Amino acid sequence: MKAKHIFFFVLCAFAAICLLGCKNAKGGTRVSATGSIYECLVVMPSRPLANPQEVVSASAYAEDIATTYDMVKAVMGADMPCLPQMEPYFKLTHVTPAAFDDFLKPTRNILIIDINPDKYTQTKAKYSIDYWSHPQAVYRVQVPDDEAFIAYWNAHGEEVRDWFVKQEIDRQKQFYRASTAKDARAALQKRIGVDMLIPEDYMLIMDTVLTAKRSNSASSLTSNSEAVSFVWCCNNKGPMRRDLVVYSYPYTDANTYTADYLNAKRDAVLGKLVTASVPGSYMGTEYKVFPPQMRIIETDPYKAEIRGLWKIYNGEAMGGPYVSHTCIDEVNHRVVTAEVYVLAPGQKKRNALRQAEAILYTLILPQQMNELEEVVVKQ
């Protein structure tokens, strides 16, 4: 009997510790978030604007911006760039502040626009992580009136959207940490000298070096010490295929960080290795309908992102979206490009591409490995 009492006491203590470890910012028990990835609940009043705005014709959001909520919808629900069909950054649900009850508070992503002249005299913005649930992102904008909201949203609306995108990517990165593909990571470390959290369901397809006649042109492959190192992995489970390619080459051209150079290098490398079943077919970039879009997403290390569409030339009617990150291996003086692309005929592709894209954000360069080692030594 005494042993049973001790066991019951230990069990209760363990349960109490678990509950304490699941407290949220308000002191309550943290529950699992509701909703799917890239969905967002918008909590705000929807009042008519004094000066309605027309939406850019290229957007899938074809309605005029006539209310305060329309302003949010035109940004958060805008078309995600470089997808073969129109899909928004976020699928939105709108409720008024009065309807925002305890049932909705565990939602995965929440944007709260609080417009109240009795509570606020100036504009404030703040965010919370795991406030009512886990994983959860909550962004609050507190303004005294509609004019203050309009001014804030015009200046920072895209920043708010990018913040929610970052939260989703960070969640996916954490998910990948649980289990990775050992063979693929080992090949990447040995061949290119970098590391990534490649998910365990990605299979290593190719690990090679490309050589060709020496040239200063990005559209040509190089030889000897200027060869291109290449690693290719693939997740081909189910109706949707996701591929990851990583390649590196010497950093010898000051024009490396230009769209023309990087696009030409992509066509040269992937056009050489990625083919379809028809003899003579090869992968290339779509330039006419949706030209690739480039932006700098980091400055330390300097990292360029390119979004675009790929297609098979001289073969089957195959194609889809891709995203690439390019940065510099400062230790070995090489350019490193990591790219994910998706093949999913007849299906929506936003979520699959975003999930694969999160892998790119786990790239660790040799100079970053050294920095991590130095931190460990100091500790």
Side-chain angles (χ1 to χ4, degrees), residues 43-228:
V43 182
M44 68 175 297
S46 183
R47 291 194 283 266
L49 296 176
N51 299 303
Q53 308 167 34
E54 290 187 5
V55 175
V56 178
S57 60
S59 173
Y61 185 79
E63 305 169 14
D64 289 343
I65 301 176
T67 68
T68 49
Y69 172 65
D70 287 343
M71 291 189 65
V72 172
K73 186 177 180 181
V75 175
M76 296 289 291
D79 300 336
M80 188 173 154
C82 298
L83 288 179
Q85 70 267 37
M86 293 181 293
E87 296 184 63
Y89 276 91
F90 285 89
K91 179 181 178 181
L92 303 180
T93 301
H94 174 227
V95 297
T96 63
F100 183 53
D101 55 18
D102 290 341
F103 177 77
L104 294 174
K105 288 179 179 177
T107 304
R108 181 185 186 93
N109 299 306
I110 305 177
L111 172 60
I112 302 174
I113 310 295
D114 192 0
I115 305 174
N116 193 327
D118 297 329
K119 293 170 61 177
Y120 312 115
T121 58
Q122 60 184 358
T123 300
K124 293 183 179 179
K126 57 183 179 180
Y127 61 82
S128 304
I129 304 298
D130 296 348
Y131 192 76
W132 287 294
S133 64
H134 171 78
Q136 185 184 55
V138 180
Y139 198 103
R140 303 170 187 265
V141 180
Q142 301 168 334
V143 291
D145 50 42
D146 289 355
E147 289 72 20
F149 161 69
I150 293 169
Y152 178 85
W153 194 255
N154 283 334
H156 303 288
E158 292 187 4
E159 296 175 17
V160 174
R161 183 185 66 199
D162 291 345
W163 182 81
F164 278 107
V165 170
K166 182 179 183 301
Q167 304 316 306
E168 290 285 15
I169 288 176
D170 286 347
R171 293 164 186 162
Q172 194 67 40
K173 286 165 56 179
Q174 290 300 319
F175 176 77
Y176 290 150
R177 291 183 184 279
S179 186
T180 58
K182 295 181 180 179
D183 291 345
R185 288 183 70 182
L188 194 63
Q189 293 167 6
K190 183 177 180 180
R191 178 69 65 190
I192 300 180
V194 300
D195 194 10
M196 298 180 78
L197 298 180
I198 303 175
E200 64 176 345
D201 52 0
Y202 277 65
M203 177 178 61
L204 179 63
I205 294 179
M206 187 178 295
D207 172 11
T208 189
V209 175
L210 299 177
T211 59
K213 187 176 180 179
R214 184 186 178 101
S215 172
N216 291 326
S217 171
S219 61
S220 299
L221 302 179
T222 53
S223 61
N224 300 328
S225 62
E226 297 186 350
V228 177

Side-chain angles (χ1 to χ4, degrees), residues 205-257:
I205 294 179
M206 187 178 295
D207 172 11
T208 189
V209 175
L210 299 177
T211 59
K213 187 176 180 179
R214 184 186 178 101
S215 172
N216 291 326
S217 171
S219 61
S220 299
L221 302 179
T222 53
S223 61
N224 300 328
S225 62
E226 297 186 350
V228 177
S229 300
F230 185 86
V231 173
W232 180 7
C233 307
C234 174
N235 178 334
N236 195 21
K237 295 181 178 179
M240 186 172 296
R241 171 169 173 153
R242 285 165 278 199
D243 288 75
L244 166 69
V245 294
V246 185
Y247 55 94
S248 71
Y249 49 92
Y251 180 37
T252 58
D253 195 320
N255 294 320
T256 294
Y257 278 102

Side-chain angles (χ1 to χ4, degrees), residues 359-372:
I359 303 172
L360 304 181
Y361 285 90
T362 70
L363 177 66
I364 301 176
L365 298 165
Q367 63 264 29
Q368 294 170 316
M369 294 180 187
N370 293 341
E371 291 171 2
L372 291 175

